[in-house]
Amino acid sequence: MQIIEFILQVLLGITSLLLTLLILLHKGRGGGLSDMFGGGMSQAIGSSGLAERNLNIITIVLALVWFFSIVGLGLVTKFQVI
């Protein structure tokens, strides 16, 4: 059980960092962090619709992995035999 808990904790840490990075990469809808990192220029130049859709799909899949790793870690912790 400790191996599963360790794997889920590592998975949670990695997905948390990647999810933060992917959310910051999204195109801004009118100011905020995205414009601070150069997102305002991409609106003038025009970004690829396919790249934005792929980024959305990757973010959603990563968010689901993040969610299920939290649920799995909670279940492992709850049913852990002392």
Side-chain angles (χ1 to χ4, degrees):
M1 255 337 199
Q2 290 178 347
I3 295 172
I4 295 173
E5 185 177 1
F6 178 75
I7 290 172
L8 286 174
Q9 286 177 352
V10 169
L11 184 65
L12 182 63
I14 291 171
T15 55
S16 296
L17 292 174
L18 288 175
L19 198 56
T20 303
L21 177 70
L22 287 177
I23 289 172
L24 287 175
L25 285 175
H26 273 44
K27 184 169 62 171
R29 302 279 187 238
L33 282 178
S34 182
D35 284 342
M36 187 171 72
F37 292 116
M41 291 300 288
S42 66
Q43 291 175 353
I45 297 170
S47 62
S48 172
L50 181 63
E52 186 71 24
R53 279 187 299 234
N54 287 340
L55 187 61
N56 287 338
I57 291 171
I58 293 170
T59 304
I60 290 170
V61 168
L62 197 62
L64 288 173
V65 170
W66 180 80
F67 175 76
F68 286 120
S69 66
I70 288 177
V71 171
L73 191 58
L75 289 174
V76 166
T77 304
K78 182 178 180 180
F79 294 115
Q80 191 174 33
V81 177
I82 296 176

